[in-house]
Structures are given as structure tokens and as C-alpha cells.
Amino acid sequence: MARRMNLRILKKLSKRAAPLLPLLDDRRMQFRSERWDNYHGMLIRDRTCWNRSRCHATFQGYGDDIVFDTRAGYRVRMRPPVHPLKGTMMVGATSGYYEPEWDEECAWSALVGIVHAETTDWSTYPDVGNSRRFNGVGDIFRAAHELIADRPKGTPA
């Protein structure tokens, strides 16, 4: 959505998205993330906030890693961050019966998921698509406010 999504922008968008989630019937617990303890569940493509570390000279990398050699002769591994900044609004809940597991994501990705699910046109089944186009974060927030306004007044939030 955002052209240069970084962890700081993700924190701000999650702060704006958190109050809208209960109005859209998201009953999961909301909390602020701790440092190095939570996972935001998104791919952050802005390389200015990627994690950098030295690695063995024969290391090739995994998935989204970028591995390069420096002029000083060291091999460096860059990878996208998986932990949000401290204080980012998160939503989470346990799921499962015999072995329940904790599942969490940032409030922004939860809002995007709800808006996309609500605006998907399922009547054209094999060729399912969104009934509207989202060009930026403002379109997501406008759609969320419209979904909240379209709900009947008597239904519990």
C-alpha cells in the first residue's frame, strides 16, 4: 500500500487502524508490541530498516536475503525486519483446542485484511476480484469508514 513502507510508517498506520478494528467486529486482543518480542507479519521492502549482519564467506542467503561482499572483504547479509518497533499496535488471539497457539499481526495488516475481505466480489467466483480499487493507504481508511457507516445502528460493535 504505502510506497515506502518502513517500520515507522507501519507504527503510525497501526495506531490509526487500531480503533477501527473493534468497530469492524475484530474481537482479538489489542496490545502494544515489545522490543524483539512480537512479529508484524508483513514484508517491509524499505531497505533502510533491514537488519544487517556479517556472515561466513560461503553463506548464500535465504528467501528475501541480500548477500554482498564489502570492500573491506567481509560478507554482509541484509534481511527484512520481522519485529515491529516497540509500541506498535498489535492484535492477537489464541487458536486451537488441544494445543492452542498464539497468532498475532499488526493492526494495519488486520485492517487491510478485513477491508479486502469485505470489498471482494464473490459473485464472480472463479474470477474473484475486489469491487473497488485501492491506490493507497487513504483508500483503505476511507473504505473502512464506509464499512463502519454501512453497519446497522442496532448491531453490537
Side-chain angles (χ1 to χ4, degrees):
M1 286 288 122
R3 289 194 177 129
R4 290 199 44 134
M5 175 73 77
N6 59 31
L7 294 176
R8 193 169 147 258
I9 292 172
L10 179 65
K11 183 175 179 177
K12 290 179 179 186
L13 290 175
S14 294
K15 183 178 179 180
R16 280 181 63 191
L20 301 177
L21 292 175
L23 301 174
L24 292 168
D25 295 331
D26 189 343
R27 302 278 185 222
R28 294 179 289 179
M29 182 178 76
Q30 291 190 9
F31 59 95
R32 294 191 181 277
S33 65
E34 298 292 328
R35 186 178 174 116
W36 310 117
D37 194 29
N38 304 104
Y39 295 94
H40 53 70
M42 297 185 67
L43 176 61
I44 304 296
R45 294 196 181 272
D46 185 12
R47 293 186 185 166
T48 59
C49 61
W50 279 26
N51 301 324
R52 293 166 180 81
S53 60
R54 285 174 52 180
C55 57
H56 193 267
T58 59
F59 182 74
Q60 296 298 316
Y62 306 108
D64 294 318
D65 290 357
I66 295 175
V67 179
F68 61 92
D69 296 319
T70 63
R71 281 186 250 160
Y74 301 114
R75 180 158 280 207
V76 175
R77 173 187 183 191
M78 289 177 52
R79 60 189 179 278
V82 294
H83 301 290
L85 292 178
K86 179 182 174 184
T88 302
M89 290 303 296
M90 307 283 291
V91 293
T94 55
S95 61
Y97 182 68
Y98 287 113
E99 296 178 14
E101 294 183 6
W102 179 254
D103 185 33
E104 66 187 8
E105 63 182 333
C106 64
W108 168 247
S109 64
L111 180 70
V112 169
I114 290 171
V115 167
H116 279 291
E118 292 288 330
T119 58
T120 299
D121 184 17
W122 298 101
S123 64
T124 61
Y125 171 57
D127 301 319
V128 175
N130 276 343
S131 58
R132 60 190 292 176
R133 187 173 182 94
F134 300 109
N135 292 323
V137 297
D139 293 341
I140 295 288
F141 282 112
R142 276 188 287 280
H145 286 291
E146 290 171 12
L147 289 171
I148 292 168
D150 289 345
R151 294 189 181 270
K153 299 294 182 195
T155 58

